[in-house]
Coordinates of all heavy atoms in Angstrom, one line a residue:
M273 N -175.2 55.0 0.2 CA -175.1 56.2 0.9 C -173.7 56.8 0.5 O -172.7 56.2 0.4 CB -175.1 56.1 2.4 CG -174.9 57.4 3.1 SD -175.2 57.2 4.9 CE -173.6 57.8 5.5
N274 N -173.8 58.1 0.0 CA -172.5 58.7 -0.5 C -171.9 59.3 0.8 O -172.7 60.2 1.4 CB -172.8 59.6 -1.5 CG -171.6 59.9 -2.5 OD1 -170.6 59.3 -2.2 ND2 -171.9 60.8 -3.4
C275 N -170.7 59.2 1.1 CA -170.2 60.0 2.3 C -168.8 60.6 1.9 O -168.0 60.0 1.1 CB -170.1 59.1 3.5 SG -168.7 57.9 3.6
E276 N -168.6 61.8 2.5 CA -167.2 62.5 2.2 C -166.3 62.0 3.3 O -166.7 61.5 4.5 CB -167.4 63.9 2.4 CG -168.4 64.5 1.3 CD -167.6 64.6 -0.1 OE1 -166.4 64.8 -0.1 OE2 -168.3 64.2 -1.1
I277 N -165.0 62.0 3.0 CA -164.0 61.7 3.9 C -163.1 62.9 4.2 O -162.7 63.6 3.2 CB -163.1 60.6 3.2 CG1 -164.0 59.3 3.1 CG2 -161.9 60.2 4.2 CD1 -163.1 58.1 2.4
C278 N -162.9 63.1 5.4 CA -161.9 64.2 5.9 C -160.7 63.6 6.5 O -160.8 62.7 7.4 CB -162.7 65.1 6.6 SG -161.8 66.4 7.5
I279 N -159.5 64.3 6.4 CA -158.2 63.7 7.2 C -157.8 65.0 7.8 O -157.5 66.0 7.2 CB -157.2 63.1 6.3 CG1 -157.8 61.9 5.5 CG2 -156.0 62.8 7.0 CD1 -158.3 62.2 4.2
I280 N -157.5 64.8 9.2 CA -157.0 65.9 10.0 C -155.6 65.5 10.5 O -155.6 64.4 11.2 CB -158.0 66.2 11.3 CG1 -159.3 66.6 10.6 CG2 -157.4 67.2 12.1 CD1 -160.5 66.8 11.7
G281 N -154.7 66.3 10.4 CA -153.3 65.8 10.9 C -152.3 66.9 10.5 O -152.5 67.9 9.9
S282 N -151.0 66.5 10.8 CA -150.0 67.4 10.4 C -149.7 67.4 9.0 O -150.2 66.5 8.2 CB -148.6 66.8 11.2 OG -148.3 65.4 10.6
E283 N -149.0 68.4 8.4 CA -148.7 68.4 7.1 C -148.0 67.1 6.5 O -148.3 66.8 5.4 CB -147.9 69.7 6.8 CG -148.7 70.9 6.9 CD -147.9 72.2 6.5 OE1 -146.8 72.1 6.0 OE2 -148.4 73.4 6.9
A284 N -147.0 66.7 7.3 CA -146.4 65.4 6.8 C -147.3 64.2 6.6 O -147.2 63.4 5.7 CB -145.3 65.1 7.8
L285 N -148.3 64.1 7.6 CA -149.2 63.1 7.5 C -150.2 63.1 6.3 O -150.6 62.3 5.7 CB -150.0 62.9 8.8 CG -151.0 61.8 8.7 CD1 -150.5 60.3 9.0 CD2 -152.1 62.1 9.8
L286 N -150.5 64.4 6.1 CA -151.6 64.8 5.1 C -151.1 64.7 3.6 O -151.9 64.5 2.7 CB -152.2 66.2 5.4 CG -152.9 66.3 6.6 CD1 -153.5 67.7 6.8 CD2 -154.0 65.2 6.7
F287 N -149.8 64.9 3.4 CA -149.4 65.1 2.0 C -149.8 64.0 1.1 O -150.4 64.2 -0.1 CB -147.8 65.1 2.0 CG -147.3 65.3 0.7 CD1 -147.3 66.4 0.0 CD2 -146.6 64.1 0.0 CE1 -146.8 66.6 -1.3 CE2 -146.0 64.3 -1.2 CZ -146.3 65.5 -1.9
P288 N -149.7 62.6 1.5 CA -150.2 61.6 0.5 C -151.7 61.7 0.2 O -152.1 61.4 -0.9 CB -149.9 60.3 1.3 CG -148.9 60.6 2.3 CD -149.1 62.0 2.6
F289 N -152.5 62.1 1.2 CA -153.9 62.2 0.9 C -154.2 63.3 0.0 O -155.3 63.3 -0.7 CB -154.7 62.5 2.4 CG -154.6 61.2 3.2 CD1 -153.6 61.3 4.3 CD2 -155.2 60.1 3.1 CE1 -153.5 60.2 5.2 CE2 -155.0 59.0 3.9 CZ -154.2 59.1 5.0
L290 N -153.4 64.4 -0.1 CA -153.7 65.5 -0.9 C -153.7 65.1 -2.4 O -154.3 65.5 -3.2 CB -152.7 66.6 -0.8 CG -152.7 67.4 0.6 CD1 -151.5 68.2 0.8 CD2 -154.1 68.2 0.6
Q291 N -152.8 64.0 -2.7 CA -152.7 63.6 -4.0 C -153.9 62.9 -4.5 O -154.2 62.8 -5.7 CB -151.6 62.5 -4.0 CG -150.3 62.8 -3.5 CD -149.6 64.2 -4.1 OE1 -149.6 64.4 -5.1 NE2 -149.4 65.2 -3.2
F292 N -154.9 62.4 -3.6 CA -156.1 61.8 -4.0 C -157.4 62.7 -3.8 O -158.5 62.3 -4.1 CB -156.3 60.6 -3.2 CG -155.3 59.6 -3.4 CD1 -154.2 59.3 -2.5 CD2 -155.2 58.7 -4.6 CE1 -153.2 58.3 -2.6 CE2 -154.2 57.8 -4.8 CZ -153.2 57.7 -3.9
G293 N -157.0 64.0 -3.5 CA -158.2 64.9 -3.4 C -159.0 64.9 -2.2 O -160.1 65.4 -2.4
F294 N -158.6 64.2 -1.1 CA -159.3 64.2 0.1 C -159.3 65.7 0.7 O -158.5 66.5 0.5 CB -158.8 63.2 1.1 CG -159.1 61.9 0.7 CD1 -157.9 61.0 0.3 CD2 -160.3 61.3 0.8 CE1 -158.2 59.7 0.0 CE2 -160.5 60.0 0.5 CZ -159.5 59.2 0.1
T295 N -160.4 65.9 1.4 CA -160.5 67.1 2.2 C -159.4 66.9 3.4 O -159.6 65.9 4.1 CB -161.9 67.3 2.8 OG1 -162.8 67.5 1.6 CG2 -162.0 68.7 3.6
T296 N -158.6 67.9 3.5 CA -157.7 67.7 4.6 C -157.6 69.0 5.5 O -158.0 70.1 5.0 CB -156.2 67.5 4.1 OG1 -155.8 68.6 3.3 CG2 -156.2 66.3 3.3
Y297 N -157.1 69.0 6.7 CA -157.0 70.0 7.5 C -155.9 69.9 8.5 O -155.8 68.8 9.2 CB -158.3 70.3 8.3 CG -158.3 71.6 9.2 CD1 -158.3 72.9 8.8 CD2 -158.3 71.3 10.6 CE1 -158.2 74.0 9.6 CE2 -158.3 72.4 11.4 CZ -158.2 73.7 11.0 OH -158.3 74.9 11.7
T298 N -155.0 71.0 8.6 CA -153.9 70.9 9.8 C -154.3 72.0 10.7 O -154.2 73.2 10.3 CB -152.6 71.2 9.1 OG1 -152.3 70.2 8.2 CG2 -151.5 71.2 10.2
P299 N -154.8 71.7 11.9 CA -155.2 72.7 12.9 C -154.0 73.4 13.5 O -153.1 72.8 13.9 CB -155.8 71.9 14.0 CG -155.4 70.5 13.8 CD -154.9 70.3 12.4
P300 N -154.1 74.8 13.5 CA -153.0 75.6 14.1 C -153.1 75.6 15.6 O -152.1 75.9 16.3 CB -153.3 76.9 13.4 CG -154.7 77.0 13.2 CD -155.2 75.5 12.9
S301 N -154.2 75.1 16.2 CA -154.4 75.2 17.6 C -155.5 74.2 18.0 O -156.2 73.8 17.3 CB -154.8 76.6 18.1 OG -156.0 76.9 17.7
K302 N -155.6 73.8 19.4 CA -156.6 73.0 19.9 C -158.0 73.7 19.6 O -158.9 73.0 19.3 CB -156.5 72.8 21.4 CG -157.5 72.0 22.0 CD -157.2 71.8 23.5 CE -158.2 71.0 24.2 NZ -158.0 70.7 25.6
D303 N -158.2 75.0 19.9 CA -159.5 75.6 19.6 C -159.9 75.5 18.1 O -161.0 75.3 17.8 CB -159.4 77.0 20.0 CG -159.3 77.2 21.6 OD1 -159.8 76.3 22.3 OD2 -158.8 78.3 22.0
A304 N -158.9 75.8 17.3 CA -159.2 75.6 15.8 C -159.5 74.2 15.4 O -160.5 74.0 14.6 CB -158.0 76.1 15.0
L305 N -158.9 73.2 16.0 CA -159.2 71.8 15.8 C -160.7 71.5 16.3 O -161.5 70.9 15.6 CB -158.3 70.9 16.6 CG -158.7 69.5 16.5 CD1 -158.7 68.9 15.2 CD2 -157.7 68.6 17.3
R306 N -161.1 72.1 17.4 CA -162.4 71.8 18.0 C -163.5 72.4 17.0 O -164.5 71.8 16.8 CB -162.5 72.4 19.3 CG -161.7 71.5 20.3 CD -161.9 72.1 21.7 NE -163.0 71.7 22.4 CZ -163.2 70.3 22.8 NH1 -162.4 69.5 22.7 NH2 -164.3 70.0 23.4
E307 N -163.2 73.7 16.6 CA -164.2 74.3 15.7 C -164.2 73.6 14.3 O -165.4 73.5 13.8 CB -163.7 75.8 15.5 CG -163.9 76.6 16.6 CD -165.3 76.7 17.0 OE1 -166.4 76.8 16.3 OE2 -165.7 76.5 18.2
Y308 N -163.1 73.2 13.8 CA -163.2 72.5 12.6 C -163.9 71.1 12.7 O -164.7 70.8 11.7 CB -161.8 72.1 12.0 CG -161.7 71.6 10.6 CD1 -162.0 72.4 9.5 CD2 -161.6 70.1 10.5 CE1 -162.1 71.8 8.2 CE2 -161.7 69.6 9.2 CZ -161.9 70.4 8.0 OH -162.0 69.8 6.9
L309 N -163.8 70.3 13.8 CA -164.5 69.2 13.9 C -166.0 69.4 14.0 O -166.8 68.7 13.3 CB -164.1 68.4 15.2 CG -162.8 67.6 15.1 CD1 -162.7 67.0 16.4 CD2 -163.1 66.5 14.1
K310 N -166.5 70.5 14.7 CA -167.8 71.0 14.6 C -168.4 71.2 13.2 O -169.5 70.7 12.8 CB -168.1 72.1 15.6 CG -167.9 71.8 17.0 CD -168.0 73.0 17.9 CE -167.6 72.7 19.4 NZ -167.8 74.0 20.2
E311 N -167.5 71.8 12.5 CA -167.9 72.2 11.1 C -168.0 70.9 10.2 O -168.9 70.8 9.5 CB -166.9 73.1 10.6 CG -167.2 73.6 9.2 CD -166.1 74.6 8.5 OE1 -165.5 75.4 9.4 OE2 -165.8 74.5 7.5
A312 N -167.0 70.0 10.4 CA -167.0 68.8 9.5 C -168.2 68.0 9.9 O -168.8 67.4 9.0 CB -165.6 68.0 9.8
I313 N -168.5 67.9 11.2 CA -169.8 67.1 11.5 C -170.9 67.7 11.0 O -171.8 67.0 10.5 CB -169.8 67.0 13.1 CG1 -168.6 66.1 13.6 CG2 -171.2 66.4 13.5 CD1 -168.5 66.2 15.2
S314 N -171.1 69.0 11.0 CA -172.3 69.6 10.5 C -172.4 69.5 9.0 O -173.4 69.7 8.4 CB -172.4 71.1 10.9 OG -171.4 71.9 10.2
K315 N -171.2 69.4 8.3 CA -171.2 69.1 6.8 C -171.5 67.7 6.5 O -171.3 67.4 5.3 CB -170.0 69.8 6.3 CG -169.9 71.2 6.4 CD -168.5 71.7 5.6 CE -168.5 73.2 5.6 NZ -167.4 73.7 4.9
N316 N -171.7 66.8 7.5 CA -172.0 65.4 7.3 C -170.9 64.6 6.6 O -171.1 63.8 5.8 CB -173.2 65.3 6.5 CG -174.5 65.8 7.2 OD1 -174.6 65.7 8.4 ND2 -175.4 66.6 6.5
F317 N -169.7 65.1 7.1 CA -168.5 64.0 6.8 C -168.8 62.7 7.4 O -169.1 62.7 8.6 CB -167.2 64.6 7.3 CG -166.6 65.7 6.2 CD1 -166.8 66.8 6.4 CD2 -166.0 65.2 5.2 CE1 -166.3 68.0 5.6 CE2 -165.3 66.2 4.3 CZ -165.6 67.5 4.5
G318 N -168.8 61.6 6.6 CA -169.1 60.3 7.1 C -167.9 59.7 7.9 O -168.1 58.9 8.8
I319 N -166.7 59.9 7.4 CA -165.5 59.4 8.0 C -164.5 60.4 8.1 O -164.2 61.3 7.3 CB -164.9 58.1 6.9 CG1 -165.9 57.2 6.7 CG2 -163.6 57.7 7.6 CD1 -165.6 56.2 5.6
I320 N -164.0 60.5 9.3 CA -163.0 61.5 9.7 C -161.8 60.7 10.2 O -161.8 60.3 11.3 CB -163.6 62.5 10.7 CG1 -164.8 63.2 10.2 CG2 -162.5 63.5 11.1 CD1 -165.5 64.2 11.1
Y321 N -160.7 60.8 9.5 CA -159.5 60.3 10.0 C -158.9 61.3 10.7 O -158.8 62.5 10.2 CB -158.5 59.9 8.8 CG -159.1 58.6 8.1 CD1 -159.8 58.7 7.0 CD2 -158.6 57.3 8.5 CE1 -160.3 57.4 6.3 CE2 -159.1 56.3 7.8 CZ -159.8 56.3 6.7 OH -160.3 55.2 6.1
I322 N -158.3 61.1 11.9 CA -157.6 62.1 12.7 C -156.4 61.6 13.2 O -156.3 60.5 13.8 CB -158.6 62.6 13.9 CG1 -158.0 63.8 14.6 CG2 -159.1 61.5 14.7 CD1 -158.9 64.5 15.5
E323 N -155.3 62.3 13.1 CA -153.9 61.9 13.7 C -154.1 61.6 15.1 O -154.6 62.4 15.8 CB -153.0 63.1 13.3 CG -151.6 62.6 13.5 CD -150.5 63.5 13.0 OE1 -150.9 64.4 12.3 OE2 -149.3 63.2 13.3
D324 N -153.5 60.6 15.4 CA -153.6 60.1 16.8 C -153.3 61.1 17.9 O -154.0 61.2 18.8 CB -152.7 58.8 17.0 CG -153.0 58.0 18.1 OD1 -152.6 58.3 19.2 OD2 -153.7 57.0 17.9
S325 N -152.2 61.8 17.8 CA -151.9 62.9 18.8 C -153.0 64.0 18.9 O -153.0 64.6 19.9 CB -150.6 63.5 18.4 OG -150.5 64.1 17.1
Y326 N -153.8 64.2 17.8 CA -154.8 65.3 18.0 C -156.0 64.6 18.7 O -156.8 65.4 19.3 CB -155.2 65.7 16.5 CG -154.2 66.6 15.9 CD1 -153.6 66.2 14.7 CD2 -153.9 67.9 16.3 CE1 -152.7 66.9 14.0 CE2 -153.0 68.6 15.6 CZ -152.5 68.2 14.5 OH -151.6 69.0 13.8
C327 N -156.1 63.4 18.7 CA -157.3 62.7 19.4 C -157.4 63.1 20.8 O -158.4 63.2 21.4 CB -157.3 61.2 19.2 SG -157.5 60.6 17.5
F328 N -156.3 63.2 21.5 CA -156.3 63.5 22.9 C -156.8 64.9 23.2 O -157.3 65.2 24.3 CB -154.8 63.5 23.5 CG -154.2 62.0 23.6 CD1 -153.5 61.6 22.6 CD2 -154.7 61.2 24.6 CE1 -153.0 60.3 22.8 CE2 -154.2 59.9 24.7 CZ -153.3 59.4 23.8
M329 N -156.6 65.9 22.2 CA -157.2 67.2 22.3 C -158.7 67.3 22.3 O -159.2 68.2 22.8 CB -156.7 68.1 21.3 CG -155.1 68.2 21.3 SD -154.6 69.4 20.1 CE -152.9 68.9 19.9
V330 N -159.3 66.3 21.6 CA -160.8 66.3 21.4 C -161.5 65.0 21.7 O -162.4 64.6 21.2 CB -161.1 66.6 19.8 CG1 -160.7 68.1 19.6 CG2 -160.4 65.6 19.0
G331 N -160.9 64.4 22.8 CA -161.4 63.1 23.2 C -162.9 63.1 23.6 O -163.7 62.2 23.3
D332 N -163.4 64.3 24.2 CA -164.8 64.4 24.5 C -165.7 64.3 23.4 O -166.7 63.7 23.4 CB -165.0 65.7 25.3 CG -164.6 67.0 24.6 OD1 -163.5 66.9 23.9 OD2 -165.3 67.9 24.7
I333 N -165.2 64.9 22.2 CA -166.0 64.9 21.0 C -166.0 63.6 20.4 O -167.1 63.0 19.9 CB -165.5 65.9 20.0 CG1 -165.6 67.3 20.6 CG2 -166.2 65.8 18.7 CD1 -165.0 68.4 19.7
L334 N -164.9 62.9 20.4 CA -164.8 61.5 19.9 C -165.7 60.6 20.7 O -166.4 59.7 20.1 CB -163.4 61.0 19.9 CG -162.3 61.9 19.0 CD1 -161.0 61.2 19.0 CD2 -162.8 62.0 17.7
D335 N -165.6 60.7 22.1 CA -166.6 59.9 22.8 C -168.0 60.1 22.6 O -168.8 59.1 22.6 CB -166.2 60.1 24.3 CG -164.8 59.6 24.9 OD1 -164.3 58.8 24.1 OD2 -164.4 60.0 25.8
K336 N -168.3 61.3 22.4 CA -169.8 61.7 22.1 C -170.3 60.9 20.9 O -171.5 60.6 21.0 CB -169.9 63.2 21.9 CG -171.3 63.6 21.6 CD -171.3 65.2 21.4 CE -172.7 65.6 21.0 NZ -172.8 67.0 20.8
Y337 N -169.4 60.7 19.9 CA -169.8 60.1 18.7 C -169.6 58.6 18.6 O -169.8 57.9 17.6 CB -169.4 60.8 17.4 CG -170.1 62.2 17.3 CD1 -169.5 63.3 17.8 CD2 -171.3 62.3 16.6 CE1 -170.2 64.6 17.7 CE2 -171.9 63.5 16.6 CZ -171.5 64.7 17.1 OH -172.1 65.9 17.0
S338 N -168.9 58.0 19.6 CA -168.3 56.7 19.5 C -169.5 55.7 19.3 O -169.3 54.6 18.7 CB -167.6 56.5 20.8 OG -168.5 56.3 21.9
G339 N -170.7 55.9 19.7 CA -171.8 54.9 19.4 C -172.5 55.3 18.2 O -173.5 54.5 17.9
S340 N -172.4 56.3 17.6 CA -173.2 56.7 16.3 C -172.7 56.1 15.1 O -171.6 55.7 15.1 CB -173.3 58.2 16.4 OG -172.1 58.9 16.0
R341 N -173.6 56.1 14.1 CA -173.2 55.6 12.8 C -172.3 56.5 12.1 O -171.4 56.1 11.3 CB -174.4 55.3 12.0 CG -175.3 54.1 12.5 CD -176.4 53.8 11.6 NE -175.9 53.3 10.3 CZ -176.6 53.4 9.2 NH1 -177.9 53.7 9.3 NH2 -176.3 53.0 8.0
T342 N -172.6 57.8 12.2 CA -171.7 58.9 11.5 C -171.6 60.0 12.4 O -172.6 60.4 13.2 CB -172.3 59.2 10.2 OG1 -173.6 59.8 10.3 CG2 -172.3 58.1 9.1
P343 N -170.5 60.7 12.4 CA -169.3 60.4 11.7 C -168.5 59.3 12.4 O -168.7 59.0 13.6 CB -168.5 61.7 11.7 CG -168.9 62.3 13.0 CD -170.4 62.0 13.2
I344 N -167.8 58.6 11.7 CA -166.8 57.5 12.2 C -165.4 58.2 12.3 O -165.0 58.8 11.3 CB -166.8 56.3 11.3 CG1 -168.1 55.7 11.3 CG2 -165.8 55.4 11.8 CD1 -168.2 54.6 10.2
F345 N -164.9 58.3 13.5 CA -163.7 58.8 13.8 C -162.6 57.7 13.7 O -162.8 56.6 14.4 CB -163.5 59.6 15.0 CG -164.3 60.8 15.1 CD1 -165.5 61.0 15.5 CD2 -163.8 62.0 14.4 CE1 -166.3 62.1 15.6 CE2 -164.5 63.2 14.5 CZ -165.7 63.2 15.1
I346 N -161.5 57.8 12.9 CA -160.5 56.7 12.9 C -159.1 57.3 13.1 O -158.7 58.2 12.3 CB -160.6 56.1 11.5 CG1 -161.8 55.5 11.1 CG2 -159.4 55.1 11.5 CD1 -162.0 55.1 9.8
P347 N -158.6 57.0 14.3 CA -157.2 57.6 14.6 C -156.3 56.9 13.7 O -156.2 55.8 13.4 CB -157.1 57.0 16.0 CG -158.3 56.6 16.5 CD -159.1 56.3 15.4
I348 N -155.3 57.7 13.1 CA -154.2 57.2 12.3 C -153.0 57.8 12.8 O -152.9 58.8 13.5 CB -154.4 57.6 10.8 CG1 -154.6 59.0 10.6 CG2 -155.7 56.8 10.3 CD1 -154.7 59.6 9.2
G349 N -151.8 57.2 12.4 CA -150.5 57.6 12.6 C -150.2 57.1 14.1 O -151.0 56.6 14.9
E350 N -149.1 57.7 14.6 CA -148.6 57.4 16.0 C -148.8 58.5 16.8 O -148.4 59.7 16.5 CB -147.1 56.9 16.0 CG -146.9 55.6 15.3 CD -145.5 55.1 15.4 OE1 -144.7 55.6 16.3 OE2 -145.1 54.3 14.6
G351 N -149.2 58.4 18.1 CA -149.2 59.4 19.0 C -148.0 59.7 19.7 O -147.2 58.9 19.7
D352 N -147.8 61.0 20.0 CA -146.6 61.3 20.7 C -146.8 61.6 22.2 O -146.0 62.3 22.8 CB -145.9 62.5 19.9 CG -146.9 63.8 20.0 OD1 -148.0 63.7 20.5 OD2 -146.4 64.7 19.5
E353 N -147.9 61.2 22.7 CA -148.4 61.4 24.1 C -148.0 60.3 25.0 O -148.6 60.0 26.0 CB -149.8 61.7 24.2 CG -150.4 62.8 23.4 CD -150.1 64.1 24.0 OE1 -150.1 64.3 25.2 OE2 -149.8 65.1 23.2
G354 N -147.1 59.4 24.6 CA -146.9 58.1 25.4 C -147.6 57.1 24.8 O -147.3 56.5 23.9
A355 N -148.7 56.8 25.3 CA -149.7 55.9 24.9 C -150.5 56.5 23.7 O -150.8 57.6 23.7 CB -150.7 55.4 26.0
S356 N -150.8 55.6 22.7 CA -151.6 56.1 21.6 C -153.1 56.1 21.9 O -153.5 55.3 22.7 CB -151.3 55.3 20.3 OG -152.0 54.0 20.4
Y357 N -153.8 57.1 21.2 CA -155.3 57.2 21.5 C -155.9 55.9 21.0 O -156.7 55.3 21.7 CB -155.9 58.4 20.9 CG -157.3 58.6 21.1 CD1 -157.6 59.4 22.4 CD2 -158.4 58.2 20.5 CE1 -158.8 59.6 22.7 CE2 -159.7 58.4 20.7 CZ -159.8 59.1 22.0 OH -161.2 59.4 22.3
S358 N -155.4 55.5 19.8 CA -156.1 54.2 19.2 C -155.8 53.0 20.1 O -156.6 52.1 20.3 CB -155.6 54.0 17.9 OG -154.2 53.9 17.8
G359 N -154.7 52.9 20.7 CA -154.3 51.8 21.6 C -155.2 51.8 22.8 O -155.7 50.8 23.3
L360 N -155.5 53.0 23.4 CA -156.4 53.1 24.5 C -157.8 52.8 24.1 O -158.5 52.1 24.9 CB -156.4 54.6 25.1 CG -155.2 55.1 25.7 CD1 -155.2 56.6 26.0 CD2 -154.7 54.3 27.0
M361 N -158.2 52.9 23.0 CA -159.5 52.6 22.5 C -159.7 51.1 22.3 O -160.6 50.5 22.8 CB -159.8 53.2 21.0 CG -160.2 54.7 21.1 SD -160.5 55.4 19.5 CE -161.6 54.3 18.7
V362 N -158.6 50.5 21.9 CA -158.7 48.9 21.7 C -158.7 48.4 23.2 O -159.4 47.4 23.4 CB -157.3 48.5 21.0 CG1 -157.2 46.9 21.2 CG2 -157.4 48.8 19.5
N363 N -157.9 48.9 24.2 CA -158.0 48.4 25.5 C -159.5 48.4 26.0 O -159.9 47.6 26.7 CB -157.0 49.2 26.4 CG -155.6 48.8 26.1 OD1 -155.4 47.6 25.4 ND2 -154.7 49.6 26.6
K364 N -160.1 49.7 25.9 CA -161.4 49.8 26.3 C -162.4 48.8 25.7 O -163.3 48.3 26.3 CB -161.9 51.3 26.1 CG -161.4 52.4 27.0 CD -162.1 53.6 26.5 CE -161.5 54.8 27.3 NZ -162.2 56.1 26.8
L365 N -162.4 48.6 24.4 CA -163.2 47.8 23.7 C -162.9 46.2 24.2 O -163.9 45.5 24.3 CB -163.0 47.8 22.2 CG -163.5 49.1 21.5 CD1 -163.1 49.1 20.1 CD2 -165.0 49.2 21.7
M366 N -161.7 45.9 24.5 CA -161.3 44.7 24.9 C -162.0 44.3 26.3 O -162.5 43.3 26.6 CB -159.9 44.4 24.9 CG -159.5 43.1 25.4 SD -159.8 41.7 24.2 CE -158.7 42.1 22.9
E367 N -161.8 45.4 27.1 CA -162.4 45.2 28.5 C -163.9 45.1 28.4 O -164.5 44.5 29.2 CB -161.9 46.4 29.3 CG -162.1 46.2 30.8 CD -161.4 47.3 31.6 OE1 -160.3 47.7 31.2 OE2 -161.9 47.8 32.6
K368 N -164.5 45.9 27.6 CA -166.1 45.9 27.4 C -166.4 44.5 26.8 O -167.4 44.0 27.3 CB -166.4 47.0 26.5 CG -167.9 47.2 26.4 CD -168.2 48.3 25.4 CE -169.8 48.4 25.2 NZ -170.1 49.5 24.4
A369 N -165.7 43.9 25.9 CA -166.1 42.8 25.3 C -166.0 41.5 26.2 O -166.9 40.6 26.2 CB -165.3 42.5 24.0
I370 N -164.8 41.4 27.0 CA -164.7 40.2 27.7 C -164.6 40.6 29.3 O -164.5 39.5 30.0 CB -163.4 39.4 27.3 CG1 -162.1 40.3 27.5 CG2 -163.6 39.0 25.8 CD1 -160.8 39.5 27.3
G371 N -164.8 41.8 29.6 CA -164.8 42.1 31.0 C -163.4 42.3 31.7 O -163.3 42.4 32.9
I372 N -162.4 42.0 31.0 CA -161.0 42.3 31.6 C -160.2 42.7 30.4 O -160.3 42.3 29.3 CB -160.5 40.9 32.2 CG1 -159.2 41.1 32.9 CG2 -160.4 39.8 31.2 CD1 -158.8 40.0 33.8
N373 N -159.3 43.5 30.9 CA -158.1 43.9 29.8 C -157.0 43.1 29.8 O -156.2 43.1 30.7 CB -157.8 45.3 30.2 CG -156.8 45.9 29.2 OD1 -156.3 45.3 28.2 ND2 -156.6 47.2 29.4
V374 N -157.0 42.1 28.8 CA -155.9 41.2 28.8 C -154.6 41.7 28.2 O -153.6 41.0 28.3 CB -156.3 39.9 28.0 CG1 -157.4 39.2 28.8 CG2 -156.8 40.2 26.6
I375 N -154.7 42.9 27.4 CA -153.6 43.4 26.8 C -152.8 44.2 27.7 O -151.5 44.2 27.6 CB -154.1 44.3 25.6 CG1 -154.9 43.6 24.6 CG2 -152.8 45.2 25.0 CD1 -155.5 44.5 23.6
G376 N -153.2 44.9 28.8 CA -152.5 45.6 29.7 C -152.7 47.0 29.5 O -153.5 47.5 28.9
S377 N -151.8 47.8 30.1 CA -151.8 49.2 30.1 C -152.7 49.8 31.0 O -153.7 50.3 31.0 CB -152.1 49.9 28.7 OG -151.2 49.5 27.7

């Protein structure tokens, strides 16, 4: 299966990805981010890397697709919301797997 990769984040985060020709997007607003995600999903992007701090803005969309094969959302970078979105995901998975959150938070 051939799948496209998209990276969503700040210009600073995206710069290295531009060198390799990936599709990139820096959302100017939360609404623009939500619209772009809907478009990326409809265009069948298989992997969508999304800057951790943006994940909090679209958590409902990420949750909706968390059990599906595609698209796969991968948080990257560090969140600036205190706790990182990827850290919260790891905690949820740990609790689901063994019944208790041994990591904390």
